[in-house]
Amino acid sequence: MPKGRAVNTYTAIVERCPDTGLYVGYVPGFPGAHSQGETLEELNSNLKEVIALILEEGTPAIVGEFVGTQTVVVA
């Protein structure tokens, strides 16, 4: 990592597509920050690349904030 460069951490939501078997991920509230991969490692690499490309154009306005997950029980 280049010296003096800021490090940003983002939380991605990851699901596995039942049709393709690919891992699909996106960063909530970060427009355009989504990708897919055959493995979790490939998905992570692809998301890093997409986010870096978006940030080259300037920091986007984040339109939401990831809070967490919640279990909902329905009887």
Side-chain angles (χ1 to χ4, degrees), residues 61-73:
I62 303 298
V63 294
E65 177 185 353
F66 178 75
V67 175
T69 61
Q70 191 174 68
T71 301
V72 179
V73 178

Side-chain angles (χ1 to χ4, degrees), residues 1 3 8 15 31 46-47 49 65 67-68:
M1 176 165 301
K3 190 175 185 178
N8 297 305
E15 299 175 340
N46 292 344
L47 283 171
E49 184 177 341
E65 177 185 353
V67 175

Side-chain angles (χ1 to χ4, degrees), residues 1-74:
M1 176 165 301
K3 190 175 185 178
R5 185 170 179 177
V7 175
N8 297 305
T9 302
Y10 300 94
T11 299
I13 303 298
V14 178
E15 299 175 340
R16 188 169 202 156
C17 177
D19 297 328
T20 65
L22 295 173
Y23 291 100
V24 179
Y26 66 95
V27 179
F30 195 135
H34 53 84
S35 192
Q36 61 187 24
E38 291 185 6
T39 64
L40 290 172
E41 293 79 17
E42 181 181 21
L43 172 61
N44 189 277
S45 176
N46 292 344
L47 283 171
K48 284 181 186 180
E49 184 177 341
V50 167
I51 292 169
L53 289 170
I54 293 169
L55 293 175
E56 283 181 4
E57 301 295 319
T59 304
I62 303 298
V63 294
E65 177 185 353
F66 178 75
V67 175
T69 61
Q70 191 174 68
T71 301
V72 179
V73 178
V74 179

